[in-house]
Amino acid sequence: MEMRRLGSGGPLVSAIGLGCERMSAGEPAPGGVATIRAAIDAGVTLLDTADFYGAGHNEELIRRALRDGDRDRVVISDKFGAQRDPAGRFIGLDARPAHAKSALAYSLHRLGTDHVDIYRPARLDPAVPIEETVGAIAELVQAGWVRHIGLSEVGAETLRRAHAVHPIVDLQIEYSIFSRGPERAILDTCRELGVSVTAYGVLGHGMLTGAYAGGGEVGHLPRFHGANLTANLALVERLRAVAEARGVTVARLAIAWVLRRSEVVALVGTSRPERIADAVAAAGIVLTDAELAAIDEAVPDGAVAGGRYATPLLALLDSER
Ligand SMILES: NC(=O)c1ccc[n+]([C@@H]2O[C@H](COP(=O)([O-])OP(=O)(O)OC[C@H]3O[C@@H](n4cnc5c(N)ncnc54)[C@H](OP(=O)(O)O)[C@@H]3O)[C@@H](O)[C@H]2O)c1
């Protein structure tokens, strides 16, 4: 598997990382540990999690999946700051310095490790200046509990302010054939600052695979609603033609599309070990200029129907301001 460095001084990670959220969303999927194992065995070294994925369940899965010697080979990327009630409902943000430190203490315990490799607030907390949040994580770096600092869904200005306090190795942000917003300004700022991009939603949360069969944990996403879903699935059929001409699945095409930019690492979310091979194969695909043009023609920027989140959640995204 191709390896890419996060930031100028960050860790070297596999070009494809495993997004572990689905293993703990709603009813925990049974294949979590097996999927993490399959990914590690296939050469994936980046595992993305959060303390609020299944209220700690996801971090515990990672601990159970890691065998002797694995810890030094994998990069654990962890998030904090999104708060959920016992029913799993989102109830707010907390990225205050004391919470960053306390949340990490619990995460380390659940992960069964003495450090996380990358630690990040899941969202900008509008009540807390980014300098304070990043400053607190920098103290955790100083103390050895955290190796590197990342951010998630922040805009160019916040990224600059944060990077001035402590080097940021990666910005996690939704980026896919369906979600090209970062191309407007954020990717340029990342390149200028030497910050890598860890793209999520690369598979359009399951739609950019050509295999979406309805249902799942995506009911809250506008792109999966009624007429939007019909319109978007028609776009996927246009992509299928491009994928078939190359002899690959739509999922591989979608992953290869984000990896065409050398500063991007692709998170792929799955809870099924049998899908790891499909994802890993995408790391070797270099799309031609003609194929990239065919993708643009099949799904022009802005063609997708529906926003990437419902309005109240979209309002939390500093990256969309
Ligand atoms: N920073 C943030 O704000 C943020 C937000 C959301 C997510 N994330 C991270 O990004 C990761 C990925 O996000 P995501 O899971 O929402 O989106 P995604 O990777 O675009 O899509 C995942 C969906 O695609 C399906 N899938 C995966 N491989 C497939 C294949 N080869 N063929 C057909 N279907 C396939 C999965 O189903 P199965 O499980 O059934 O395989 C799942 O439903 C998350 O796990 C999380 O770590 C970060």
Side-chain angles (χ1 to χ4, degrees), residues 19 22 48 123 152 172 203 205 269-272 275 278:
R22 302 267 162 171
D48 184 70
R123 295 285 180 267
S152 171
Q172 200 170 105
L203 299 177
H205 307 286
T270 184
S271 47
R272 302 186 204 209
R275 285 185 165 160
D278 198 21

Side-chain angles (χ1 to χ4, degrees), residues 18-22 48-49 53 79 122-123 152-153 172 200-206 209 211 251 267-272 275 278-279 309:
L18 180 65
C20 299
E21 180 179 14
R22 302 267 162 171
D48 184 70
T49 186
Y53 290 170
K79 298 184 277 306
R123 295 285 180 267
S152 171
E153 288 289 359
Q172 200 170 105
Y200 77 83
V202 169
L203 299 177
H205 307 286
T209 59
L267 289 181
V268 173
T270 184
S271 47
R272 302 186 204 209
R275 285 185 165 160
D278 198 21
Y309 287 103

Side-chain angles (χ1 to χ4, degrees), residues 9 22 60 97 169 186 306 314 320:
R22 302 267 162 171
E60 284 168 2
V169 294
I186 294 172
L314 212 51
E320 293 284 337

